[in-house]
Structures are given as structure tokens and as C-alpha cells.
Amino acid sequence: MLKELQEEMQMTKVEVFQMGEEKEVAEAKCKDVEQERNQLKKELEDLRAVSDAYKKQLEEL
């Protein structure tokens, strides 16, 4: 019985370790997605500024 409990504890420790690794991977992916979102947001702002400049030029013509 004691041996079974020790084996279960070891298996649980392995599962906890794996879950910790999975958490780190998920956090890294979230960070990457957040950086990409920020980059896309900046690009969109830049495109809007260019679009506004073109609209202003067209109005002047």
C-alpha cells in the first residue's frame, strides 16, 4: 500500500512539473501574441495616418 502511494505521489509530481512547463509555454505564446497585436496596432495607426494625408491631398485638388 505504501509503495502504491509513493508511486502515485511520484506520478503527481511529474504531472505538476509538466503542467508547470505547459504554463510557461502558454505564457510565452501569450506574450508573443501581445507583441504581435501591438505591432499590428501600430501598423494600423500608421496606415490611417497615411490615408488621412492622402484624403487631405485629394481635397486640396
Side-chain angles (χ1 to χ4, degrees):
M1 185 101 176
L2 181 59
K3 186 176 181 178
E4 285 179 28
L5 286 174
Q6 289 173 337
E7 288 175 357
E8 285 182 36
M9 284 181 59
Q10 184 62 30
M11 288 173 51
T12 302
K13 287 179 183 179
V14 169
E15 289 175 4
V16 167
F17 178 78
Q18 288 173 338
M19 291 173 80
E21 288 182 332
E22 290 172 5
K23 179 184 174 190
E24 288 178 14
V25 168
E27 288 173 346
K29 286 181 181 179
C30 286
K31 185 177 178 181
D32 290 345
V33 167
E34 183 69 20
Q35 288 174 347
E36 184 177 358
R37 185 186 73 83
N38 289 337
Q39 178 63 32
L40 290 171
K41 185 177 177 181
K42 183 183 179 311
E43 289 176 17
L44 180 59
E45 290 171 359
D46 292 346
L47 287 170
R48 283 185 177 148
V50 169
S51 176
D52 289 344
Y54 282 142
K55 284 180 185 177
K56 188 175 183 177
Q57 286 178 349
L58 285 173
E59 289 173 1
E60 291 173 358
L61 295 176

